[in-house]
Amino acid sequence: MSKMKTNRGAAKRFSRTAKGGYKRSQAHLNHILTKKKSKRKRQLGKTLQVADADVKGVKRLLPYS
């Protein structure tokens, strides 16, 4: 049987944590930053855990992580 392919878009967006979860960055921090408050931009820069409901899908996209 051939190897499974990793989804390259997902590999750039998600990474594995030490405890087996996945971390992700937040959206809305790329452009049109002048109208956003400093507090909002600062909080958007933090990384978050992938929600429990989405972990199954992420695991399917990243079979060897």
Side-chain angles (χ1 to χ4, degrees), residues 28-45:
H28 307 294
L29 197 61
N30 287 326
H31 61 102
I32 315 177
L33 298 174
T34 53
K35 65 170 74 171
K36 295 173 186 163
K37 304 289 184 198
S38 298
K39 178 182 177 181
R40 182 175 169 198
K41 291 186 280 190
R42 187 168 57 248
Q43 290 176 340
L44 285 172

Side-chain angles (χ1 to χ4, degrees), residues 5-50:
K5 285 193 174 182
T6 297
N7 183 292
R8 298 314 297 165
K12 295 167 189 173
R13 287 171 172 83
F14 305 107
S15 59
R16 195 76 187 248
T17 61
K19 293 188 176 181
Y22 291 92
K23 62 183 179 179
R24 65 173 179 87
S25 59
Q26 297 188 65
H28 307 294
L29 197 61
N30 287 326
H31 61 102
I32 315 177
L33 298 174
T34 53
K35 65 170 74 171
K36 295 173 186 163
K37 304 289 184 198
S38 298
K39 178 182 177 181
R40 182 175 169 198
K41 291 186 280 190
R42 187 168 57 248
Q43 290 176 340
L44 285 172
K46 298 177 181 177
T47 57
L48 298 176
Q49 290 274 70
V50 173

